[in-house]
Amino acid sequence: MTRRRSGIATLIAALAVAVAFVAVLITGIFAVSSVRGAARQQAQESLGRQADIVAATLERTPGTRPARLSQLLRGQQIQIEVSTDAAAAPAYLTAADRAELAAGRPVSVVRDRAGAAVFVEGRPLDAGGAVVVVQPASIANGAAGTAQRRLLLPLLLGLGGAAFAGLLLARRLARPLQAAAQAAHRLASGARDVRLVPEGPAEVAELATALNRLSGALATSEGREREFLLSVSHELRTPLTAVRGYAEALADGVVAPDDVERTGATMLAEAQRLDRLVADLLDLARLRAQDFRLDVTPVDLVELVRAAGLVWHDRCAREGVELRVEVPAQPVVVGTDPTRVRQILDGLAENALRVTPSGRPIVLAVRAEPGPVAVVEVRDGGPGLSDEDLSVAFERSALYDRYRGARRVGTGFGLALVFGLATRLGGTAVAQRSAEGGACFAVRLPAG
């Protein structure tokens, strides 16, 4: 059973409330402690002022009775005790307190009397003795309680405001994320017209932008895939139709005996074309796989090009095409896959032989350039390519679609395969014009 997950809005709101609650709790604890301390200090200072007034009154009017003054201060729970001998002050004062009074110095302390804490303010009298003013320490608790109650409302309002702000933030963050999730589900279900308005924090807005780009990329990729499949189906159907037609003619016995050899040759050529097409498609599919195999070893490109020249010399001679091999005297060694490099070379040579007329040259060349870079070239004396052709030469079926019916063409995938193989080998492939008047296809491989 899948556990239901909480939404991000709920989590953010709960987190905001929890943080606000902790903040209010900590603030309240410190505030209560501060208020209590301030209340006690204020009560002590107020009692000290009362003690100063009582001492001054007794000194100015010696006949004033302490009981009368106590009666006046009873509402504040203040008691007054007068001792003619400062050293014989009330017993709840310590010996150090009495010594201070006897020395003529005031005393401001908190002491325990009858099990309860009291504020004590003692003042020496000029005529001798001392006056001691006492007030229960609990008097400060009432003032502290009032201040604490006044603090409670702002703290609760702060907690409520933080919770409200958390809810607003949660909705602001959750709304674009929910829209992004819905867009992702639509993309997964096949929709390609998904567009989001980037909003919210930078990271959330970037997510919307990325989904928009993904939608566009998927639409472009699937469009190309459809075009590719249509092109492949057309190219497969053409040789298959020819083979089927001739096979039916042979089966029905409508082919004259003198035409059997020509019909068989035509069927063989179409079958070979179909085989090349399927092989190119498989190679293109493998190039996209992550496990595409490369057997990298030190390779002398000079020897590899010479070996290819021996094979292609006979094929070119049968077509009346001159084949030249241009290699340096020194080896050009690179770390690469010799089979894939030979595949590139054979593909470019076949492409060149297809378009090069009799009497014109094809050149297989290799050279080293600074970098270090090794360059493998195939140049031809064919009709060449325009500037527009050069810019799209390695795009799948680009030149095939352009020149089909105008000149001899291959499967439409050969140059795309060359470009893919060169890229997988860590190099690049470029198309340009050749000194022989036709096209030049060069593959640059890192020699380091």
Side-chain angles (χ1 to χ4, degrees):
M1 181 176 179
T2 304
R3 182 174 63 88
R4 182 178 177 82
R5 297 178 181 271
S6 300
I8 189 172
T10 303
L11 294 176
I12 293 176
L15 179 62
V17 171
V19 171
F21 177 78
V22 172
V24 167
L25 181 62
I26 295 175
T27 301
I29 291 173
F30 280 101
V32 167
S33 177
S34 299
V35 166
R36 286 181 178 177
R40 291 174 67 90
Q41 182 179 358
Q42 184 177 5
Q44 187 89 36
E45 291 174 354
S46 176
L47 184 63
R49 289 191 293 271
Q50 296 286 5
D52 292 337
I53 293 172
V54 170
T57 301
L58 292 175
E59 288 179 344
R60 285 197 305 268
T61 56
T64 303
R65 291 180 296 173
R68 176 61 178 170
L69 294 176
S70 295
Q71 184 71 25
L72 295 174
L73 298 176
R74 182 173 297 171
Q76 302 179 43
Q77 302 182 42
I78 296 175
Q79 297 180 359
I80 301 173
E81 299 180 19
V82 179
S83 174
T84 56
D85 183 2
Y92 50 80
L93 293 179
T94 64
D97 298 335
R98 291 192 288 271
E100 287 291 310
L101 291 174
R105 290 187 289 272
V107 170
S108 179
V109 294
V110 179
R111 294 290 181 254
D112 182 81
R113 186 178 72 171
V118 292
F119 297 131
V120 178
E121 293 291 333
R123 298 293 185 269
L125 299 174
D126 294 339
V131 59
V132 177
V133 180
V134 182
Q135 185 180 41
S138 59
I139 195 71
N141 296 336
T146 301
Q148 290 167 9
R149 285 190 293 274
R150 291 177 179 175
L151 280 174
L152 181 60
L153 180 60
L155 290 175
L156 291 177
L157 289 176
L159 178 61
F164 182 70
L167 290 173
L168 291 180
L169 176 62
R171 291 186 61 187
R172 177 174 173 79
L173 289 177
R175 186 173 61 251
L177 287 176
Q178 290 169 348
Q182 293 172 358
H185 288 305
R186 291 181 59 199
L187 286 174
S189 63
R192 297 295 177 259
D193 58 345
V194 176
R195 289 295 180 272
L196 294 173
V197 178
E199 59 179 338
E203 293 81 0
V204 179
E206 181 62 24
L207 175 60
T209 302
L211 285 173
N212 289 339
R213 291 175 181 171
L214 176 60
S215 176
L218 287 174
T220 301
S221 176
E222 291 180 358
R224 291 176 178 174
E225 199 71 24
R226 282 192 296 270
E227 293 176 1
F228 174 70
L229 291 174
L230 289 174
S231 175
V232 168
S233 64
H234 173 76
E235 294 308 317
L236 289 173
R237 188 177 294 114
T238 300
L240 283 174
T241 300
V243 171
R244 179 180 179 181
Y246 283 113
E248 289 177 349
L250 288 172
D252 294 340
V254 298
V255 178
D258 293 341
D259 293 333
V260 170
E261 183 178 351
R262 181 178 58 84
T263 300
T266 302
M267 293 177 64
L268 177 61
E270 291 300 319
Q272 289 173 340
R273 181 185 173 201
L274 183 61
D275 181 68
R276 289 197 306 272
L277 178 61
V278 172
D280 286 348
L281 288 173
L282 289 175
D283 285 335
L284 281 173
R286 292 191 189 102
L287 279 175
R288 299 177 182 178
Q290 295 297 323
D291 57 350
F292 181 75
R293 182 176 177 179
L294 290 175
D295 296 322
V296 178
T297 60
V299 180
D300 182 2
L301 295 180
V302 172
E303 291 299 325
L304 188 145
V305 170
R306 282 176 177 164
L310 294 175
V311 175
W312 283 97
H313 183 274
D314 293 338
R315 291 191 58 181
C316 289
R318 287 195 297 269
E319 300 289 336
V321 174
E322 176 191 0
L323 178 71
R324 298 201 301 263
V325 176
E326 297 179 357
V327 296
Q330 300 80 17
V332 178
V333 180
V334 298
T336 189
D337 186 331
T339 302
R340 299 302 181 183
V341 176
R342 180 61 187 268
Q343 186 178 359
I344 290 173
L345 194 60
D346 289 343
L348 292 175
E350 184 172 356
N351 184 71
L353 182 59
R354 186 182 304 112
V355 298
T356 303
S358 178
R360 300 295 296 168
I362 291 178
V363 180
L364 307 183
V366 63
R367 67 178 182 275
E369 290 185 351
V373 174
V375 181
V376 176
E377 280 184 348
V378 176
R379 308 194 302 268
D380 64 64
L385 300 174
S386 66
D387 291 339
E388 187 178 357
D389 293 338
L390 295 176
S391 64
V392 298
F394 294 106
E395 292 184 12
R396 189 173 54 203
S397 299
L399 297 182
Y400 176 86
D401 294 336
R402 184 168 299 176
Y403 291 107
R404 182 173 51 186
R407 65 174 70 164
R408 293 175 63 187
V409 294
T411 63
F413 305 108
L415 290 177
L417 180 58
V418 166
F419 184 85
L421 287 171
T423 302
R424 272 305 186 103
L425 292 173
T428 58
V430 295
Q432 51 200 3
R433 293 186 178 87
S434 71
E436 289 73 20
C440 170
F441 295 94
V443 174
R444 288 178 166 81
L445 299 173

PDB file of all heavy atoms in Angstrom, residues 375-397:
ATOM      1  N   VAL A 375      44.743  14.213 -39.578  1.00  0.00           N
ATOM      2  CA  VAL A 375      43.659  14.496 -40.511  1.00  0.00           C
ATOM      3  C   VAL A 375      43.618  13.406 -41.575  1.00  0.00           C
ATOM      4  O   VAL A 375      44.628  13.131 -42.234  1.00  0.00           O
ATOM      5  CB  VAL A 375      43.829  15.877 -41.177  1.00  0.00           C
ATOM      6  CG1 VAL A 375      42.666  16.152 -42.122  1.00  0.00           C
ATOM      7  CG2 VAL A 375      43.924  16.969 -40.118  1.00  0.00           C
ATOM      8  N   VAL A 376      42.446  12.799 -41.729  1.00  0.00           N
ATOM      9  CA  VAL A 376      42.197  11.828 -42.794  1.00  0.00           C
ATOM     10  C   VAL A 376      41.239  12.490 -43.779  1.00  0.00           C
ATOM     11  O   VAL A 376      40.166  12.953 -43.382  1.00  0.00           O
ATOM     12  CB  VAL A 376      41.602  10.524 -42.242  1.00  0.00           C
ATOM     13  CG1 VAL A 376      41.272   9.569 -43.388  1.00  0.00           C
ATOM     14  CG2 VAL A 376      42.560   9.869 -41.260  1.00  0.00           C
ATOM     15  N   GLU A 377      41.633  12.543 -45.067  1.00  0.00           N
ATOM     16  CA  GLU A 377      40.833  13.223 -46.068  1.00  0.00           C
ATOM     17  C   GLU A 377      40.481  12.292 -47.216  1.00  0.00           C
ATOM     18  O   GLU A 377      41.259  11.409 -47.585  1.00  0.00           O
ATOM     19  CB  GLU A 377      41.599  14.410 -46.662  1.00  0.00           C
ATOM     20  CG  GLU A 377      41.603  15.652 -45.822  1.00  0.00           C
ATOM     21  CD  GLU A 377      42.294  16.797 -46.545  1.00  0.00           C
ATOM     22  OE1 GLU A 377      42.950  16.560 -47.588  1.00  0.00           O
ATOM     23  OE2 GLU A 377      42.184  17.938 -46.060  1.00  0.00           O
ATOM     24  N   VAL A 378      39.306  12.546 -47.789  1.00  0.00           N
ATOM     25  CA  VAL A 378      38.912  11.930 -49.061  1.00  0.00           C
ATOM     26  C   VAL A 378      38.446  13.068 -49.961  1.00  0.00           C
ATOM     27  O   VAL A 378      37.455  13.744 -49.659  1.00  0.00           O
ATOM     28  CB  VAL A 378      37.800  10.884 -48.880  1.00  0.00           C
ATOM     29  CG1 VAL A 378      37.354  10.357 -50.236  1.00  0.00           C
ATOM     30  CG2 VAL A 378      38.267   9.747 -47.991  1.00  0.00           C
ATOM     31  N   ARG A 379      39.194  13.284 -51.066  1.00  0.00           N
ATOM     32  CA  ARG A 379      38.868  14.357 -52.001  1.00  0.00           C
ATOM     33  C   ARG A 379      38.479  13.733 -53.340  1.00  0.00           C
ATOM     34  O   ARG A 379      38.948  12.652 -53.692  1.00  0.00           O
ATOM     35  CB  ARG A 379      40.059  15.293 -52.185  1.00  0.00           C
ATOM     36  CG  ARG A 379      40.639  15.819 -50.870  1.00  0.00           C
ATOM     37  CD  ARG A 379      41.575  16.990 -51.089  1.00  0.00           C
ATOM     38  NE  ARG A 379      42.704  16.665 -51.971  1.00  0.00           N
ATOM     39  CZ  ARG A 379      43.884  16.227 -51.540  1.00  0.00           C
ATOM     40  NH1 ARG A 379      44.087  16.026 -50.229  1.00  0.00           N
ATOM     41  NH2 ARG A 379      44.862  15.971 -52.397  1.00  0.00           N
ATOM     42  N   ASP A 380      37.626  14.421 -54.061  1.00  0.00           N
ATOM     43  CA  ASP A 380      37.202  13.874 -55.363  1.00  0.00           C
ATOM     44  C   ASP A 380      37.131  14.978 -56.404  1.00  0.00           C
ATOM     45  O   ASP A 380      37.143  16.169 -56.079  1.00  0.00           O
ATOM     46  CB  ASP A 380      35.852  13.153 -55.231  1.00  0.00           C
ATOM     47  CG  ASP A 380      34.709  14.080 -54.845  1.00  0.00           C
ATOM     48  OD1 ASP A 380      34.381  14.976 -55.645  1.00  0.00           O
ATOM     49  OD2 ASP A 380      34.146  13.902 -53.734  1.00  0.00           O
ATOM     50  N   GLY A 381      37.048  14.548 -57.643  1.00  0.00           N
ATOM     51  CA  GLY A 381      36.910  15.476 -58.768  1.00  0.00           C
ATOM     52  C   GLY A 381      35.512  15.480 -59.326  1.00  0.00           C
ATOM     53  O   GLY A 381      35.325  15.705 -60.536  1.00  0.00           O
ATOM     54  N   GLY A 382      34.542  15.232 -58.482  1.00  0.00           N
ATOM     55  CA  GLY A 382      33.148  15.186 -58.912  1.00  0.00           C
ATOM     56  C   GLY A 382      32.538  16.562 -59.064  1.00  0.00           C
ATOM     57  O   GLY A 382      33.244  17.574 -59.133  1.00  0.00           O
ATOM     58  N   PRO A 383      31.207  16.638 -59.099  1.00  0.00           N
ATOM     59  CA  PRO A 383      30.524  17.923 -59.323  1.00  0.00           C
ATOM     60  C   PRO A 383      30.649  18.901 -58.165  1.00  0.00           C
ATOM     61  O   PRO A 383      30.375  20.089 -58.320  1.00  0.00           O
ATOM     62  CB  PRO A 383      29.064  17.506 -59.535  1.00  0.00           C
ATOM     63  CG  PRO A 383      28.933  16.192 -58.836  1.00  0.00           C
ATOM     64  CD  PRO A 383      30.255  15.508 -58.999  1.00  0.00           C
ATOM     65  N   GLY A 384      31.064  18.417 -56.996  1.00  0.00           N
ATOM     66  CA  GLY A 384      31.261  19.313 -55.861  1.00  0.00           C
ATOM     67  C   GLY A 384      29.964  19.674 -55.156  1.00  0.00           C
ATOM     68  O   GLY A 384      28.874  19.209 -55.508  1.00  0.00           O
ATOM     69  N   LEU A 385      30.102  20.544 -54.179  1.00  0.00           N
ATOM     70  CA  LEU A 385      28.965  20.956 -53.347  1.00  0.00           C
ATOM     71  C   LEU A 385      28.899  22.467 -53.263  1.00  0.00           C
ATOM     72  O   LEU A 385      29.925  23.154 -53.264  1.00  0.00           O
ATOM     73  CB  LEU A 385      29.101  20.370 -51.934  1.00  0.00           C
ATOM     74  CG  LEU A 385      29.148  18.831 -51.822  1.00  0.00           C
ATOM     75  CD1 LEU A 385      29.432  18.431 -50.389  1.00  0.00           C
ATOM     76  CD2 LEU A 385      27.850  18.203 -52.301  1.00  0.00           C
ATOM     77  N   SER A 386      27.700  22.987 -53.164  1.00  0.00           N
ATOM     78  CA  SER A 386      27.510  24.433 -52.986  1.00  0.00           C
ATOM     79  C   SER A 386      27.732  24.798 -51.523  1.00  0.00           C
ATOM     80  O   SER A 386      27.855  23.931 -50.642  1.00  0.00           O
ATOM     81  CB  SER A 386      26.094  24.827 -53.414  1.00  0.00           C
ATOM     82  OG  SER A 386      25.141  24.232 -52.536  1.00  0.00           O
ATOM     83  N   ASP A 387      27.756  26.112 -51.254  1.00  0.00           N
ATOM     84  CA  ASP A 387      27.918  26.567 -49.865  1.00  0.00           C
ATOM     85  C   ASP A 387      26.787  26.041 -48.988  1.00  0.00           C
ATOM     86  O   ASP A 387      27.005  25.657 -47.839  1.00  0.00           O
ATOM     87  CB  ASP A 387      27.941  28.102 -49.820  1.00  0.00           C
ATOM     88  CG  ASP A 387      29.201  28.674 -50.453  1.00  0.00           C
ATOM     89  OD1 ASP A 387      30.195  27.933 -50.549  1.00  0.00           O
ATOM     90  OD2 ASP A 387      29.186  29.856 -50.849  1.00  0.00           O
ATOM     91  N   GLU A 388      25.601  26.022 -49.527  1.00  0.00           N
ATOM     92  CA  GLU A 388      24.459  25.510 -48.765  1.00  0.00           C
ATOM     93  C   GLU A 388      24.608  24.017 -48.526  1.00  0.00           C
ATOM     94  O   GLU A 388      24.268  23.513 -47.451  1.00  0.00           O
ATOM     95  CB  GLU A 388      23.165  25.808 -49.514  1.00  0.00           C
ATOM     96  CG  GLU A 388      21.909  25.462 -48.730  1.00  0.00           C
ATOM     97  CD  GLU A 388      20.643  25.822 -49.481  1.00  0.00           C
ATOM     98  OE1 GLU A 388      20.752  26.394 -50.584  1.00  0.00           O
ATOM     99  OE2 GLU A 388      19.547  25.514 -48.972  1.00  0.00           O
ATOM    100  N   ASP A 389      25.128  23.296 -49.536  1.00  0.00           N
ATOM    101  CA  ASP A 389      25.350  21.860 -49.366  1.00  0.00           C
ATOM    102  C   ASP A 389      26.358  21.591 -48.263  1.00  0.00           C
ATOM    103  O   ASP A 389      26.182  20.664 -47.451  1.00  0.00           O
ATOM    104  CB  ASP A 389      25.867  21.250 -50.673  1.00  0.00           C
ATOM    105  CG  ASP A 389      24.819  21.279 -51.773  1.00  0.00           C
ATOM    106  OD1 ASP A 389      23.630  21.368 -51.440  1.00  0.00           O
ATOM    107  OD2 ASP A 389      25.213  21.234 -52.953  1.00  0.00           O
ATOM    108  N   LEU A 390      27.422  22.378 -48.227  1.00  0.00           N
ATOM    109  CA  LEU A 390      28.481  22.159 -47.229  1.00  0.00           C
ATOM    110  C   LEU A 390      27.953  22.321 -45.814  1.00  0.00           C
ATOM    111  O   LEU A 390      28.405  21.644 -44.884  1.00  0.00           O
ATOM    112  CB  LEU A 390      29.639  23.133 -47.472  1.00  0.00           C
ATOM    113  CG  LEU A 390      30.414  22.949 -48.789  1.00  0.00           C
ATOM    114  CD1 LEU A 390      31.457  24.039 -48.936  1.00  0.00           C
ATOM    115  CD2 LEU A 390      31.072  21.574 -48.845  1.00  0.00           C
ATOM    116  N   SER A 391      26.994  23.236 -45.619  1.00  0.00           N
ATOM    117  CA  SER A 391      26.480  23.490 -44.267  1.00  0.00           C
ATOM    118  C   SER A 391      25.584  22.371 -43.755  1.00  0.00           C
ATOM    119  O   SER A 391      25.378  22.252 -42.542  1.00  0.00           O
ATOM    120  CB  SER A 391      25.713  24.815 -44.246  1.00  0.00           C
ATOM    121  OG  SER A 391      24.561  24.746 -45.075  1.00  0.00           O
ATOM    122  N   VAL A 392      25.027  21.538 -44.674  1.00  0.00           N
ATOM    123  CA  VAL A 392      24.103  20.475 -44.241  1.00  0.00           C
ATOM    124  C   VAL A 392      24.588  19.102 -44.679  1.00  0.00           C
ATOM    125  O   VAL A 392      23.817  18.138 -44.634  1.00  0.00           O
ATOM    126  CB  VAL A 392      22.683  20.736 -44.793  1.00  0.00           C
ATOM    127  CG1 VAL A 392      22.130  22.039 -44.269  1.00  0.00           C
ATOM    128  CG2 VAL A 392      22.681  20.720 -46.323  1.00  0.00           C
ATOM    129  N   ALA A 393      25.850  19.012 -45.096  1.00  0.00           N
ATOM    130  CA  ALA A 393      26.335  17.769 -45.706  1.00  0.00           C
ATOM    131  C   ALA A 393      26.171  16.565 -44.798  1.00  0.00           C
ATOM    132  O   ALA A 393      25.882  15.461 -45.268  1.00  0.00           O
ATOM    133  CB  ALA A 393      27.800  17.938 -46.107  1.00  0.00           C
ATOM    134  N   PHE A 394      26.356  16.747 -43.484  1.00  0.00           N
ATOM    135  CA  PHE A 394      26.329  15.604 -42.572  1.00  0.00           C
ATOM    136  C   PHE A 394      24.962  15.378 -41.940  1.00  0.00           C
ATOM    137  O   PHE A 394      24.821  14.511 -41.078  1.00  0.00           O
ATOM    138  CB  PHE A 394      27.383  15.784 -41.480  1.00  0.00           C
ATOM    139  CG  PHE A 394      28.796  15.761 -42.009  1.00  0.00           C
ATOM    140  CD1 PHE A 394      29.531  16.933 -42.095  1.00  0.00           C
ATOM    141  CD2 PHE A 394      29.368  14.578 -42.437  1.00  0.00           C
ATOM    142  CE1 PHE A 394      30.828  16.913 -42.588  1.00  0.00           C
ATOM    143  CE2 PHE A 394      30.659  14.554 -42.931  1.00  0.00           C
ATOM    144  CZ  PHE A 394      31.390  15.730 -43.015  1.00  0.00           C
ATOM    145  N   GLU A 395      23.972  16.173 -42.334  1.00  0.00           N
ATOM    146  CA  GLU A 395      22.623  15.938 -41.837  1.00  0.00           C
ATOM    147  C   GLU A 395      22.006  14.763 -42.577  1.00  0.00           C
ATOM    148  O   GLU A 395      22.191  14.601 -43.789  1.00  0.00           O
ATOM    149  CB  GLU A 395      21.758  17.186 -42.015  1.00  0.00           C
ATOM    150  CG  GLU A 395      22.194  18.348 -41.130  1.00  0.00           C
ATOM    151  CD  GLU A 395      21.264  19.534 -41.254  1.00  0.00           C
ATOM    152  OE1 GLU A 395      20.174  19.372 -41.848  1.00  0.00           O
ATOM    153  OE2 GLU A 395      21.623  20.617 -40.776  1.00  0.00           O
ATOM    154  N   ARG A 396      21.275  13.968 -41.851  1.00  0.00           N
ATOM    155  CA  ARG A 396      20.713  12.747 -42.396  1.00  0.00           C
ATOM    156  C   ARG A 396      19.801  13.026 -43.591  1.00  0.00           C
ATOM    157  O   ARG A 396      18.861  13.817 -43.498  1.00  0.00           O
ATOM    158  CB  ARG A 396      19.923  12.030 -41.303  1.00  0.00           C
ATOM    159  CG  ARG A 396      19.458  10.646 -41.633  1.00  0.00           C
ATOM    160  CD  ARG A 396      18.839  10.019 -40.406  1.00  0.00           C
ATOM    161  NE  ARG A 396      17.796  10.858 -39.838  1.00  0.00           N
ATOM    162  CZ  ARG A 396      17.397  10.797 -38.579  1.00  0.00           C
ATOM    163  NH1 ARG A 396      17.988   9.971 -37.742  1.00  0.00           N
ATOM    164  NH2 ARG A 396      16.428  11.576 -38.142  1.00  0.00           N
ATOM    165  N   SER A 397      20.127  12.420 -44.746  1.00  0.00           N
ATOM    166  CA  SER A 397      19.334  12.471 -45.983  1.00  0.00           C
ATOM    167  C   SER A 397      19.247  13.857 -46.613  1.00  0.00           C
ATOM    168  O   SER A 397      18.479  14.051 -47.564  1.00  0.00           O
ATOM    169  CB  SER A 397      17.897  11.959 -45.732  1.00  0.00           C
ATOM    170  OG  SER A 397      17.921  10.616 -45.296  1.00  0.00           O
TER     171      SER A 397
END
